Amino acid sequence: MAAPRAVPNPHKLIWLQIMSTVDNKAYSLCSAEDLSSFGYFQRSTVREHLVFATRTSSERCPKGSRITISLKEVPYLLHIYRRVDGLCGIAITDQAYSERVAQTLVTKLAAGFEKQFGNQWKKTNADQAYNYAPMQGLLQEYANPNQADKMSAVQQNLEQIQQIMHKNIEDILARGETLDNLLEKSSDIGEVSKMFHKKAKKNNQCCQLY
């Protein structure tokens, strides 16, 4: 009798990141990515926009909050857990990915990072590249939320992740801020990507990142 075929994983977990947001200024500590669903020549632009989105969002989320943010005009969600001490765990997934699993993941991500590096990250005043080896493993382990959810129910106290706020990325901006202005000023976005963004917006292309 033939073995049953494996069910394809319809979900996408494309990005994990740890950031320091002690003084409402976000600095990247480490990240892992799976951008294989994007074309090779798109990936650098996508990467720049994801870093911009994570930095912009994590700086504006209240401490002690869990927020799911819809990225404008692209089918991805930003799952953020900003701890009271300013350590921030972030995952970017497709829209159908389980919020509970995503928040379990970013909680585990931040706790593991703290266990390995202690509080030295609090002195950070620039982007860093901590060698947090388990991050890539977590990216693979949680790629399929349906499988990860079975582990989460056993390993995680789910009561602590019930309160998740839902926002569009524009909802978290301060009065007078716009994504276009922030993107134009951002050092995360290269000149080629900024030019591409302006051209895409001018042509009203739905594939633009913002």
Side-chain angles (χ1 to χ4, degrees):
M1 183 176 179
R5 291 184 179 181
V7 178
N9 177 20
H11 298 287
K12 293 179 181 177
L13 171 61
I14 64 171
W15 190 269
L16 292 179
Q17 191 165 21
I18 294 285
M19 301 196 87
S20 167
T21 58
V22 174
D23 297 315
N24 291 325
K25 186 72 175 174
Y27 299 110
S28 178
L29 301 176
C30 56
S31 64
E33 65 183 51
D34 178 4
L35 302 182
S36 58
S37 57
F38 298 92
Y40 178 80
F41 294 105
Q42 289 181 298
R43 292 174 193 172
S44 61
T45 296
V46 170
R47 187 179 296 110
E48 289 176 357
H49 281 263
L50 294 181
V51 172
F52 167 75
T54 57
R55 195 188 306 275
T56 300
S57 300
S58 58
E59 287 177 345
R60 291 160 176 77
C61 291
K63 290 184 178 181
S65 66
R66 297 180 182 274
I67 301 182
T68 296
I69 298 173
S70 299
L71 298 181
K72 187 179 179 183
E73 298 182 13
V74 289
Y76 289 97
L77 297 176
L78 203 73
H79 306 273
I80 297 180
Y81 172 37
R82 186 180 182 189
R83 301 188 338 178
V84 174
D85 62 3
L87 191 64
C88 195
I90 303 165
I92 300 179
T93 72
D94 67 273
Q95 292 178 333
Y97 194 101
S98 167
E99 285 185 339
R100 184 177 67 178
V101 175
Q103 284 293 335
T104 299
L105 169 56
V106 294
T107 301
K108 187 174 183 179
L109 189 68
F113 181 88
E114 181 184 43
K115 184 176 181 180
Q116 181 169 336
F117 297 105
N119 292 325
Q120 58 182 282
W121 58 271
K122 290 186 176 182
K123 301 177 182 179
T124 298
N125 58 8
D127 287 348
Q128 305 293 325
Y130 280 84
N131 183 21
Y132 181 42
M135 179 174 269
Q136 193 65 42
L138 289 171
L139 188 71
Q140 297 172 358
E141 179 183 341
Y142 281 80
N144 189 334
N146 297 324
Q147 294 179 358
D149 196 31
K150 297 176 183 178
M151 297 182 292
S152 301
V154 175
Q155 298 173 358
Q156 182 74 22
N157 179 5
L158 299 178
E159 291 183 359
Q160 64 178 297
I161 60 174
Q162 294 300 312
Q163 300 300 319
I164 304 173
M165 293 185 284
H166 299 82
K167 303 280 186 181
N168 293 317
I169 192 166
E170 292 177 327
D171 294 338
I172 63 173
L173 302 182
R175 179 174 296 181
E177 288 185 326
T178 67
L179 278 175
D180 286 341
N181 289 341
L182 291 173
L183 189 146
E184 186 62 31
K185 297 175 183 177
S186 174
S187 59
D188 293 323
I189 308 293
E191 293 303 317
V192 173
S193 296
K194 289 178 182 178
M195 187 167 56
F196 172 80
H197 168 75
K198 289 179 181 178
K199 184 177 179 180
K201 187 167 185 179
K202 182 179 180 180
N203 295 334
N204 196 30
Q205 293 179 357
C206 63
C207 61
Q208 64 189 50
L209 286 172
Y210 295 102

